């Protein structure tokens, strides 16, 4: 059974607190945009798709449970209550975007939902109708993300097997950070590719980096893979080159598969720090390098990776580690402590992301297929967005989806 990190039904949202993993599963209720903002900023929830979904649903829950809609007016003297109500929703969406500015999915979701309420303002006669339009659109995003991830997994697995020299031999892959159910609405992007390979019976081993300094690999990816019974081994970030050199042939390591926080129009990709180094190593060792991400992660308004702002986080993430005490060889989750792992007075630089140049990327796996470079050696990501498709995405149209009111 795949982990469920986002539990939603209309009027209720709970998230699996990732700060307590891997030693215990604790769900946190999210009833307001302020709680969602804090959970995103503190990385109780993380992963570009999951951040966007939690942000969108937190406002849906707040609006659903708000009995006095007039409290949400930006200006109490606003004569047109519908316009005032719409402005209040837009203001809260803008606030949510500030929680994690590098993740393009969050800004993309806010932009789409803003358009939904603006369109509703033109036709609705009561603020409650605007609210209902927003809530329905946010719920469709949740359901659509799961479907998109399953398609990403299938396309990525098929691409990897297609590029394997012997299709009868199981393949191994290496991944970085966490891109599974804990980082999305469900199934995962890069981890979805691994899940799909495993489901096909073609996965030999899934290697994953511990992903310093926040250890999303050791805490989260390892937790998911072990939970799902997928054959897996962890390495430190600094072992990747040696893994490819000494185990590449015997383990049949075909590809490195990573997720993305933002993909620029030319294919340059911002992802967890350490991704760029893996791409260089993969190219040197003849290993394919794939980025797995939904189209919502592709930012056509950002020309290249040089235009992507890189978030810098607290140096203490590098100098201090947090975890439960081990007593008599057993983990004691009742005693969680912080331990200093650096010399007193250590100065540290802690960029959360890096940017991998497009020329090091062999393919970008999306829910509609794998994009490869054209004859001129460049990605054509605009081709992924047809006119009719764009209209459907803006209108929140989904086909053959379950009713999200009762949960995914």
């Amino acid at each position: 059974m795949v982990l469920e990190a986002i539990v939603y039904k209309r009027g209720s949202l709970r998230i699996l607190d990732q700060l307590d993993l891997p030693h215990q599963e604790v769900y946190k209720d999210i009833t307001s945009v302020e709680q969602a903002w804090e959970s995103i900023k503190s990385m109780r929830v993380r992963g570009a798709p999951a951040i966007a979904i939690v942000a969108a649903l937190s406002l849906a829950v707040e609006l659903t449970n708000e009995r006095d809609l007039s409290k949400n007016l930006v200006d109490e003297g606003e004569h047109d209550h519908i316009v005032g109500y719409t402005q209040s929703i837009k203001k809260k969406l803008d606030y949510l975007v500030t929680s994690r500015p590098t993740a393009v999915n969050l800004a993309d979701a806010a932009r789409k939902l803003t358009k939904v309420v603006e369109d509703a303002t033109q036709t609705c006669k009561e603020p409650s109708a605007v609210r209902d339009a927003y809530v329905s659109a946010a719920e469709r995003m949740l359901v659509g993300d799961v479907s998109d991830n399953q398609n990403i997994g299938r396309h990525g697995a098929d691409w990897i097997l297609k590029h394997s020299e012997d299709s009868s031999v199981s393949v191994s892959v290496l991944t970085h950070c966490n891109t599974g159910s804990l980082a999305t609405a469900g199934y995962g992007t890069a981890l979805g590719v691994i899940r799909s390979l495993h489901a096909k019976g073609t996965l030999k081993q899934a290697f994953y980096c511990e992903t310093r300094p926040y250890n999303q690999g050791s805490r989260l990816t390892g937790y998911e893979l072990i939970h799902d019974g997928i054959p897996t081994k962890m390495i430190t970030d600094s072992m990747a080159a040696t893994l490819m050199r000494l185990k590449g042939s015997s383990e049949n390591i075909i590809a490195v598969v990573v997720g993305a926080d933002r993909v620029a129009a030319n294919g340059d990709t911002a992802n967890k720090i350490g991704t760029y180094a893996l791409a260089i190593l993969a190219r040197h060792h003849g290993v394919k390098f794939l980025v797995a991400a939904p189209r919502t992660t592709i930012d056509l308004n950002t020309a290249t990776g040089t235009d992507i702002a890189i978030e810098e986080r607290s140096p203490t993430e590098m100098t201090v580690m947090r975890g439960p005490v081990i007593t008599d060889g057993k983990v004691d989750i009742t005693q969680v402590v912080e331990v200093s792992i650096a010399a007193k007075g250590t100065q540290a630089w802690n960029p959360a992301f890096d940017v991998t140049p497009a020329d090091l990327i062999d393919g970008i796996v999306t829910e509609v297929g794998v994009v490869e470079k054209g004859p001129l050696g460049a990605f054509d990501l605009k081709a992924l967005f047809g006119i009719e498709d764009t209209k459907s995405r803006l209108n929140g149209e989904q086909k053959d989806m379950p009713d999200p009111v009762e949960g995914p």
Side-chain angles (χ1 to χ4, degrees), residues 362-394:
D362 293 297
I364 299 175
V365 188
T366 75
E367 67 272 27
V368 296
V370 182
V371 182
E372 299 180 6
K373 294 168 189 162
L376 299 179
F379 289 111
D380 180 13
L381 298 181
K382 290 183 180 179
L384 290 172
F385 301 94
I387 295 177
E388 290 305 316
D389 174 67
T390 301
K391 289 181 179 178
S392 295
R393 282 155 44 88
L394 288 174

PDB file of all heavy atoms in Angstrom, residues 362-394:
ATOM      1  N   ASP A 362      19.130  13.963 -20.327  1.00  0.00           N
ATOM      2  CA  ASP A 362      18.802  13.147 -21.509  1.00  0.00           C
ATOM      3  C   ASP A 362      17.312  13.166 -21.830  1.00  0.00           C
ATOM      4  O   ASP A 362      16.928  13.015 -22.994  1.00  0.00           O
ATOM      5  CB  ASP A 362      19.258  11.699 -21.295  1.00  0.00           C
ATOM      6  CG  ASP A 362      20.775  11.577 -21.231  1.00  0.00           C
ATOM      7  OD1 ASP A 362      21.427  11.898 -22.239  1.00  0.00           O
ATOM      8  OD2 ASP A 362      21.285  11.191 -20.166  1.00  0.00           O
ATOM      9  N   GLY A 363      16.489  13.346 -20.831  1.00  0.00           N
ATOM     10  CA  GLY A 363      15.052  13.364 -21.079  1.00  0.00           C
ATOM     11  C   GLY A 363      14.301  13.960 -19.914  1.00  0.00           C
ATOM     12  O   GLY A 363      14.751  13.879 -18.769  1.00  0.00           O
ATOM     13  N   ILE A 364      13.167  14.582 -20.213  1.00  0.00           N
ATOM     14  CA  ILE A 364      12.284  15.130 -19.185  1.00  0.00           C
ATOM     15  C   ILE A 364      10.967  14.367 -19.254  1.00  0.00           C
ATOM     16  O   ILE A 364      10.259  14.420 -20.268  1.00  0.00           O
ATOM     17  CB  ILE A 364      12.060  16.641 -19.388  1.00  0.00           C
ATOM     18  CG1 ILE A 364      13.406  17.381 -19.285  1.00  0.00           C
ATOM     19  CG2 ILE A 364      11.065  17.180 -18.369  1.00  0.00           C
ATOM     20  CD1 ILE A 364      13.318  18.864 -19.587  1.00  0.00           C
ATOM     21  N   VAL A 365      10.677  13.626 -18.187  1.00  0.00           N
ATOM     22  CA  VAL A 365       9.505  12.755 -18.154  1.00  0.00           C
ATOM     23  C   VAL A 365       8.315  13.530 -17.604  1.00  0.00           C
ATOM     24  O   VAL A 365       8.347  14.018 -16.482  1.00  0.00           O
ATOM     25  CB  VAL A 365       9.760  11.520 -17.273  1.00  0.00           C
ATOM     26  CG1 VAL A 365       8.608  10.529 -17.409  1.00  0.00           C
ATOM     27  CG2 VAL A 365      11.087  10.858 -17.627  1.00  0.00           C
ATOM     28  N   THR A 366       7.257  13.627 -18.403  1.00  0.00           N
ATOM     29  CA  THR A 366       6.038  14.298 -17.973  1.00  0.00           C
ATOM     30  C   THR A 366       4.872  13.323 -18.038  1.00  0.00           C
ATOM     31  O   THR A 366       5.021  12.176 -18.493  1.00  0.00           O
ATOM     32  CB  THR A 366       5.719  15.516 -18.858  1.00  0.00           C
ATOM     33  OG1 THR A 366       5.209  15.062 -20.122  1.00  0.00           O
ATOM     34  CG2 THR A 366       6.950  16.372 -19.092  1.00  0.00           C
ATOM     35  N   GLU A 367       3.704  13.792 -17.638  1.00  0.00           N
ATOM     36  CA  GLU A 367       2.516  12.933 -17.653  1.00  0.00           C
ATOM     37  C   GLU A 367       2.037  12.609 -19.060  1.00  0.00           C
ATOM     38  O   GLU A 367       1.223  11.698 -19.250  1.00  0.00           O
ATOM     39  CB  GLU A 367       1.381  13.576 -16.842  1.00  0.00           C
ATOM     40  CG  GLU A 367       0.804  14.845 -17.434  1.00  0.00           C
ATOM     41  CD  GLU A 367       1.532  16.104 -16.995  1.00  0.00           C
ATOM     42  OE1 GLU A 367       2.743  16.027 -16.665  1.00  0.00           O
ATOM     43  OE2 GLU A 367       0.900  17.176 -16.991  1.00  0.00           O
ATOM     44  N   VAL A 368       2.535  13.337 -20.074  1.00  0.00           N
ATOM     45  CA  VAL A 368       2.127  13.066 -21.449  1.00  0.00           C
ATOM     46  C   VAL A 368       3.233  12.414 -22.275  1.00  0.00           C
ATOM     47  O   VAL A 368       3.059  12.177 -23.468  1.00  0.00           O
ATOM     48  CB  VAL A 368       1.646  14.357 -22.156  1.00  0.00           C
ATOM     49  CG1 VAL A 368       0.398  14.895 -21.485  1.00  0.00           C
ATOM     50  CG2 VAL A 368       2.746  15.407 -22.195  1.00  0.00           C
ATOM     51  N   GLY A 369       4.367  12.113 -21.645  1.00  0.00           N
ATOM     52  CA  GLY A 369       5.440  11.453 -22.366  1.00  0.00           C
ATOM     53  C   GLY A 369       6.806  12.006 -21.989  1.00  0.00           C
ATOM     54  O   GLY A 369       6.927  12.905 -21.149  1.00  0.00           O
ATOM     55  N   VAL A 370       7.840  11.450 -22.615  1.00  0.00           N
ATOM     56  CA  VAL A 370       9.218  11.853 -22.351  1.00  0.00           C
ATOM     57  C   VAL A 370       9.695  12.781 -23.462  1.00  0.00           C
ATOM     58  O   VAL A 370       9.632  12.439 -24.648  1.00  0.00           O
ATOM     59  CB  VAL A 370      10.158  10.635 -22.260  1.00  0.00           C
ATOM     60  CG1 VAL A 370      11.588  11.079 -21.941  1.00  0.00           C
ATOM     61  CG2 VAL A 370       9.644   9.651 -21.212  1.00  0.00           C
ATOM     62  N   VAL A 371      10.159  13.961 -23.075  1.00  0.00           N
ATOM     63  CA  VAL A 371      10.675  14.925 -24.041  1.00  0.00           C
ATOM     64  C   VAL A 371      12.171  14.716 -24.183  1.00  0.00           C
ATOM     65  O   VAL A 371      12.916  14.742 -23.192  1.00  0.00           O
ATOM     66  CB  VAL A 371      10.400  16.374 -23.595  1.00  0.00           C
ATOM     67  CG1 VAL A 371      10.904  17.352 -24.652  1.00  0.00           C
ATOM     68  CG2 VAL A 371       8.927  16.574 -23.343  1.00  0.00           C
ATOM     69  N   GLU A 372      12.620  14.494 -25.403  1.00  0.00           N
ATOM     70  CA  GLU A 372      14.043  14.395 -25.694  1.00  0.00           C
ATOM     71  C   GLU A 372      14.461  15.604 -26.527  1.00  0.00           C
ATOM     72  O   GLU A 372      13.630  16.335 -27.051  1.00  0.00           O
ATOM     73  CB  GLU A 372      14.344  13.095 -26.444  1.00  0.00           C
ATOM     74  CG  GLU A 372      13.988  11.843 -25.655  1.00  0.00           C
ATOM     75  CD  GLU A 372      14.312  10.567 -26.439  1.00  0.00           C
ATOM     76  OE1 GLU A 372      14.912  10.673 -27.539  1.00  0.00           O
ATOM     77  OE2 GLU A 372      13.968   9.485 -25.954  1.00  0.00           O
ATOM     78  N   LYS A 373      15.765  15.801 -26.651  1.00  0.00           N
ATOM     79  CA  LYS A 373      16.262  16.929 -27.420  1.00  0.00           C
ATOM     80  C   LYS A 373      16.076  16.686 -28.910  1.00  0.00           C
ATOM     81  O   LYS A 373      16.134  15.547 -29.384  1.00  0.00           O
ATOM     82  CB  LYS A 373      17.744  17.162 -27.111  1.00  0.00           C
ATOM     83  CG  LYS A 373      17.980  17.597 -25.678  1.00  0.00           C
ATOM     84  CD  LYS A 373      19.460  17.519 -25.340  1.00  0.00           C
ATOM     85  CE  LYS A 373      19.653  17.739 -23.852  1.00  0.00           C
ATOM     86  NZ  LYS A 373      20.956  17.280 -23.386  1.00  0.00           N
ATOM     87  N   GLY A 374      15.862  17.776 -29.622  1.00  0.00           N
ATOM     88  CA  GLY A 374      15.698  17.703 -31.063  1.00  0.00           C
ATOM     89  C   GLY A 374      17.035  17.640 -31.779  1.00  0.00           C
ATOM     90  O   GLY A 374      18.093  17.546 -31.145  1.00  0.00           O
ATOM     91  N   PRO A 375      17.017  17.707 -33.112  1.00  0.00           N
ATOM     92  CA  PRO A 375      18.248  17.617 -33.911  1.00  0.00           C
ATOM     93  C   PRO A 375      19.291  18.672 -33.557  1.00  0.00           C
ATOM     94  O   PRO A 375      20.493  18.450 -33.724  1.00  0.00           O
ATOM     95  CB  PRO A 375      17.738  17.819 -35.356  1.00  0.00           C
ATOM     96  CG  PRO A 375      16.298  17.402 -35.303  1.00  0.00           C
ATOM     97  CD  PRO A 375      15.820  17.821 -33.950  1.00  0.00           C
ATOM     98  N   LEU A 376      18.842  19.813 -33.054  1.00  0.00           N
ATOM     99  CA  LEU A 376      19.772  20.887 -32.709  1.00  0.00           C
ATOM    100  C   LEU A 376      20.252  20.797 -31.260  1.00  0.00           C
ATOM    101  O   LEU A 376      20.949  21.690 -30.768  1.00  0.00           O
ATOM    102  CB  LEU A 376      19.112  22.254 -32.955  1.00  0.00           C
ATOM    103  CG  LEU A 376      18.693  22.541 -34.404  1.00  0.00           C
ATOM    104  CD1 LEU A 376      18.040  23.911 -34.509  1.00  0.00           C
ATOM    105  CD2 LEU A 376      19.902  22.454 -35.333  1.00  0.00           C
ATOM    106  N   GLY A 377      19.874  19.721 -30.586  1.00  0.00           N
ATOM    107  CA  GLY A 377      20.341  19.511 -29.223  1.00  0.00           C
ATOM    108  C   GLY A 377      19.620  20.319 -28.169  1.00  0.00           C
ATOM    109  O   GLY A 377      20.169  20.584 -27.093  1.00  0.00           O
ATOM    110  N   ALA A 378      18.383  20.721 -28.455  1.00  0.00           N
ATOM    111  CA  ALA A 378      17.627  21.537 -27.507  1.00  0.00           C
ATOM    112  C   ALA A 378      16.258  20.912 -27.240  1.00  0.00           C
ATOM    113  O   ALA A 378      15.690  20.225 -28.099  1.00  0.00           O
ATOM    114  CB  ALA A 378      17.458  22.952 -28.037  1.00  0.00           C
ATOM    115  N   PHE A 379      15.731  21.141 -26.039  1.00  0.00           N
ATOM    116  CA  PHE A 379      14.388  20.683 -25.697  1.00  0.00           C
ATOM    117  C   PHE A 379      13.353  21.667 -26.242  1.00  0.00           C
ATOM    118  O   PHE A 379      13.546  22.879 -26.198  1.00  0.00           O
ATOM    119  CB  PHE A 379      14.209  20.599 -24.176  1.00  0.00           C
ATOM    120  CG  PHE A 379      14.953  19.482 -23.519  1.00  0.00           C
ATOM    121  CD1 PHE A 379      16.032  19.745 -22.682  1.00  0.00           C
ATOM    122  CD2 PHE A 379      14.579  18.164 -23.715  1.00  0.00           C
ATOM    123  CE1 PHE A 379      16.724  18.727 -22.058  1.00  0.00           C
ATOM    124  CE2 PHE A 379      15.265  17.120 -23.100  1.00  0.00           C
ATOM    125  CZ  PHE A 379      16.340  17.406 -22.271  1.00  0.00           C
ATOM    126  N   ASP A 380      12.250  21.132 -26.748  1.00  0.00           N
ATOM    127  CA  ASP A 380      11.122  21.962 -27.166  1.00  0.00           C
ATOM    128  C   ASP A 380       9.985  21.722 -26.189  1.00  0.00           C
ATOM    129  O   ASP A 380       9.073  20.934 -26.441  1.00  0.00           O
ATOM    130  CB  ASP A 380      10.699  21.619 -28.598  1.00  0.00           C
ATOM    131  CG  ASP A 380       9.520  22.470 -29.076  1.00  0.00           C
ATOM    132  OD1 ASP A 380       9.210  23.471 -28.390  1.00  0.00           O
ATOM    133  OD2 ASP A 380       8.914  22.128 -30.102  1.00  0.00           O
ATOM    134  N   LEU A 381      10.037  22.404 -25.056  1.00  0.00           N
ATOM    135  CA  LEU A 381       9.039  22.178 -24.012  1.00  0.00           C
ATOM    136  C   LEU A 381       7.714  22.849 -24.310  1.00  0.00           C
ATOM    137  O   LEU A 381       6.675  22.455 -23.792  1.00  0.00           O
ATOM    138  CB  LEU A 381       9.589  22.663 -22.667  1.00  0.00           C
ATOM    139  CG  LEU A 381      10.857  21.938 -22.179  1.00  0.00           C
ATOM    140  CD1 LEU A 381      11.286  22.484 -20.829  1.00  0.00           C
ATOM    141  CD2 LEU A 381      10.631  20.436 -22.112  1.00  0.00           C
ATOM    142  N   LYS A 382       7.733  23.853 -25.191  1.00  0.00           N
ATOM    143  CA  LYS A 382       6.483  24.522 -25.551  1.00  0.00           C
ATOM    144  C   LYS A 382       5.518  23.560 -26.241  1.00  0.00           C
ATOM    145  O   LYS A 382       4.307  23.722 -26.147  1.00  0.00           O
ATOM    146  CB  LYS A 382       6.763  25.713 -26.466  1.00  0.00           C
ATOM    147  CG  LYS A 382       7.457  26.878 -25.780  1.00  0.00           C
ATOM    148  CD  LYS A 382       7.640  28.039 -26.741  1.00  0.00           C
ATOM    149  CE  LYS A 382       8.335  29.211 -26.054  1.00  0.00           C
ATOM    150  NZ  LYS A 382       8.539  30.346 -26.988  1.00  0.00           N
ATOM    151  N   ALA A 383       6.082  22.568 -26.917  1.00  0.00           N
ATOM    152  CA  ALA A 383       5.241  21.615 -27.643  1.00  0.00           C
ATOM    153  C   ALA A 383       4.362  20.792 -26.701  1.00  0.00           C
ATOM    154  O   ALA A 383       3.375  20.183 -27.133  1.00  0.00           O
ATOM    155  CB  ALA A 383       6.114  20.683 -28.479  1.00  0.00           C
ATOM    156  N   LEU A 384       4.724  20.775 -25.406  1.00  0.00           N
ATOM    157  CA  LEU A 384       3.925  20.022 -24.444  1.00  0.00           C
ATOM    158  C   LEU A 384       2.596  20.683 -24.132  1.00  0.00           C
ATOM    159  O   LEU A 384       1.687  20.066 -23.582  1.00  0.00           O
ATOM    160  CB  LEU A 384       4.707  19.871 -23.121  1.00  0.00           C
ATOM    161  CG  LEU A 384       5.929  18.961 -23.141  1.00  0.00           C
ATOM    162  CD1 LEU A 384       6.673  19.102 -21.827  1.00  0.00           C
ATOM    163  CD2 LEU A 384       5.513  17.518 -23.362  1.00  0.00           C
ATOM    164  N   PHE A 385       2.485  21.966 -24.478  1.00  0.00           N
ATOM    165  CA  PHE A 385       1.309  22.733 -24.092  1.00  0.00           C
ATOM    166  C   PHE A 385       0.532  23.172 -25.324  1.00  0.00           C
ATOM    167  O   PHE A 385       0.811  24.229 -25.899  1.00  0.00           O
ATOM    168  CB  PHE A 385       1.721  23.960 -23.270  1.00  0.00           C
ATOM    169  CG  PHE A 385       2.484  23.598 -22.023  1.00  0.00           C
ATOM    170  CD1 PHE A 385       3.867  23.583 -22.026  1.00  0.00           C
ATOM    171  CD2 PHE A 385       1.816  23.254 -20.865  1.00  0.00           C
ATOM    172  CE1 PHE A 385       4.575  23.251 -20.879  1.00  0.00           C
ATOM    173  CE2 PHE A 385       2.517  22.920 -19.717  1.00  0.00           C
ATOM    174  CZ  PHE A 385       3.898  22.917 -19.724  1.00  0.00           C
ATOM    175  N   GLY A 386      -0.434  22.350 -25.727  1.00  0.00           N
ATOM    176  CA  GLY A 386      -1.298  22.717 -26.834  1.00  0.00           C
ATOM    177  C   GLY A 386      -2.334  23.725 -26.386  1.00  0.00           C
ATOM    178  O   GLY A 386      -2.609  23.872 -25.199  1.00  0.00           O
ATOM    179  N   ILE A 387      -2.937  24.416 -27.320  1.00  0.00           N
ATOM    180  CA  ILE A 387      -3.925  25.444 -26.997  1.00  0.00           C
ATOM    181  C   ILE A 387      -5.108  24.839 -26.256  1.00  0.00           C
ATOM    182  O   ILE A 387      -5.527  25.323 -25.205  1.00  0.00           O
ATOM    183  CB  ILE A 387      -4.410  26.155 -28.276  1.00  0.00           C
ATOM    184  CG1 ILE A 387      -3.240  26.934 -28.909  1.00  0.00           C
ATOM    185  CG2 ILE A 387      -5.562  27.102 -27.957  1.00  0.00           C
ATOM    186  CD1 ILE A 387      -3.595  27.599 -30.216  1.00  0.00           C
ATOM    187  N   GLU A 388      -5.670  23.758 -26.772  1.00  0.00           N
ATOM    188  CA  GLU A 388      -6.840  23.158 -26.126  1.00  0.00           C
ATOM    189  C   GLU A 388      -6.470  22.592 -24.767  1.00  0.00           C
ATOM    190  O   GLU A 388      -7.231  22.664 -23.812  1.00  0.00           O
ATOM    191  CB  GLU A 388      -7.419  22.045 -27.021  1.00  0.00           C
ATOM    192  CG  GLU A 388      -8.070  22.582 -28.291  1.00  0.00           C
ATOM    193  CD  GLU A 388      -9.136  23.623 -27.990  1.00  0.00           C
ATOM    194  OE1 GLU A 388      -9.943  23.393 -27.061  1.00  0.00           O
ATOM    195  OE2 GLU A 388      -9.163  24.660 -28.672  1.00  0.00           O
ATOM    196  N   ASP A 389      -5.242  22.019 -24.678  1.00  0.00           N
ATOM    197  CA  ASP A 389      -4.790  21.468 -23.420  1.00  0.00           C
ATOM    198  C   ASP A 389      -4.665  22.559 -22.374  1.00  0.00           C
ATOM    199  O   ASP A 389      -5.049  22.393 -21.227  1.00  0.00           O
ATOM    200  CB  ASP A 389      -3.445  20.774 -23.610  1.00  0.00           C
ATOM    201  CG  ASP A 389      -2.852  20.297 -22.302  1.00  0.00           C
ATOM    202  OD1 ASP A 389      -3.441  19.388 -21.707  1.00  0.00           O
ATOM    203  OD2 ASP A 389      -1.824  20.850 -21.876  1.00  0.00           O
ATOM    204  N   THR A 390      -4.115  23.696 -22.774  1.00  0.00           N
ATOM    205  CA  THR A 390      -3.954  24.807 -21.843  1.00  0.00           C
ATOM    206  C   THR A 390      -5.305  25.276 -21.331  1.00  0.00           C
ATOM    207  O   THR A 390      -5.489  25.552 -20.146  1.00  0.00           O
ATOM    208  CB  THR A 390      -3.213  25.974 -22.524  1.00  0.00           C
ATOM    209  OG1 THR A 390      -1.944  25.516 -22.969  1.00  0.00           O
ATOM    210  CG2 THR A 390      -3.023  27.127 -21.553  1.00  0.00           C
ATOM    211  N   LYS A 391      -6.297  25.373 -22.224  1.00  0.00           N
ATOM    212  CA  LYS A 391      -7.633  25.782 -21.809  1.00  0.00           C
ATOM    213  C   LYS A 391      -8.203  24.806 -20.788  1.00  0.00           C
ATOM    214  O   LYS A 391      -8.804  25.189 -19.786  1.00  0.00           O
ATOM    215  CB  LYS A 391      -8.561  25.868 -23.022  1.00  0.00           C
ATOM    216  CG  LYS A 391      -8.264  27.045 -23.945  1.00  0.00           C
ATOM    217  CD  LYS A 391      -9.243  27.052 -25.106  1.00  0.00           C
ATOM    218  CE  LYS A 391      -8.986  28.236 -26.041  1.00  0.00           C
ATOM    219  NZ  LYS A 391      -9.909  28.221 -27.189  1.00  0.00           N
ATOM    220  N   SER A 392      -8.020  23.509 -21.025  1.00  0.00           N
ATOM    221  CA  SER A 392      -8.549  22.503 -20.115  1.00  0.00           C
ATOM    222  C   SER A 392      -7.902  22.616 -18.745  1.00  0.00           C
ATOM    223  O   SER A 392      -8.563  22.513 -17.716  1.00  0.00           O
ATOM    224  CB  SER A 392      -8.304  21.096 -20.691  1.00  0.00           C
ATOM    225  OG  SER A 392      -9.032  20.913 -21.878  1.00  0.00           O
ATOM    226  N   ARG A 393      -6.579  22.846 -18.734  1.00  0.00           N
ATOM    227  CA  ARG A 393      -5.862  22.953 -17.475  1.00  0.00           C
ATOM    228  C   ARG A 393      -6.328  24.168 -16.679  1.00  0.00           C
ATOM    229  O   ARG A 393      -6.479  24.119 -15.470  1.00  0.00           O
ATOM    230  CB  ARG A 393      -4.350  23.042 -17.735  1.00  0.00           C
ATOM    231  CG  ARG A 393      -3.707  21.713 -18.061  1.00  0.00           C
ATOM    232  CD  ARG A 393      -2.449  21.888 -18.880  1.00  0.00           C
ATOM    233  NE  ARG A 393      -1.610  22.964 -18.393  1.00  0.00           N
ATOM    234  CZ  ARG A 393      -0.674  22.858 -17.452  1.00  0.00           C
ATOM    235  NH1 ARG A 393      -0.492  21.778 -16.905  1.00  0.00           N
ATOM    236  NH2 ARG A 393       0.073  23.854 -17.068  1.00  0.00           N
ATOM    237  N   LEU A 394      -6.564  25.276 -17.374  1.00  0.00           N
ATOM    238  CA  LEU A 394      -7.016  26.484 -16.698  1.00  0.00           C
ATOM    239  C   LEU A 394      -8.424  26.323 -16.137  1.00  0.00           C
ATOM    240  O   LEU A 394      -8.768  26.855 -15.093  1.00  0.00           O
ATOM    241  CB  LEU A 394      -6.974  27.682 -17.656  1.00  0.00           C
ATOM    242  CG  LEU A 394      -5.579  28.193 -18.013  1.00  0.00           C
ATOM    243  CD1 LEU A 394      -5.676  29.275 -19.072  1.00  0.00           C
ATOM    244  CD2 LEU A 394      -4.866  28.742 -16.784  1.00  0.00           C
TER     245      LEU A 394
END
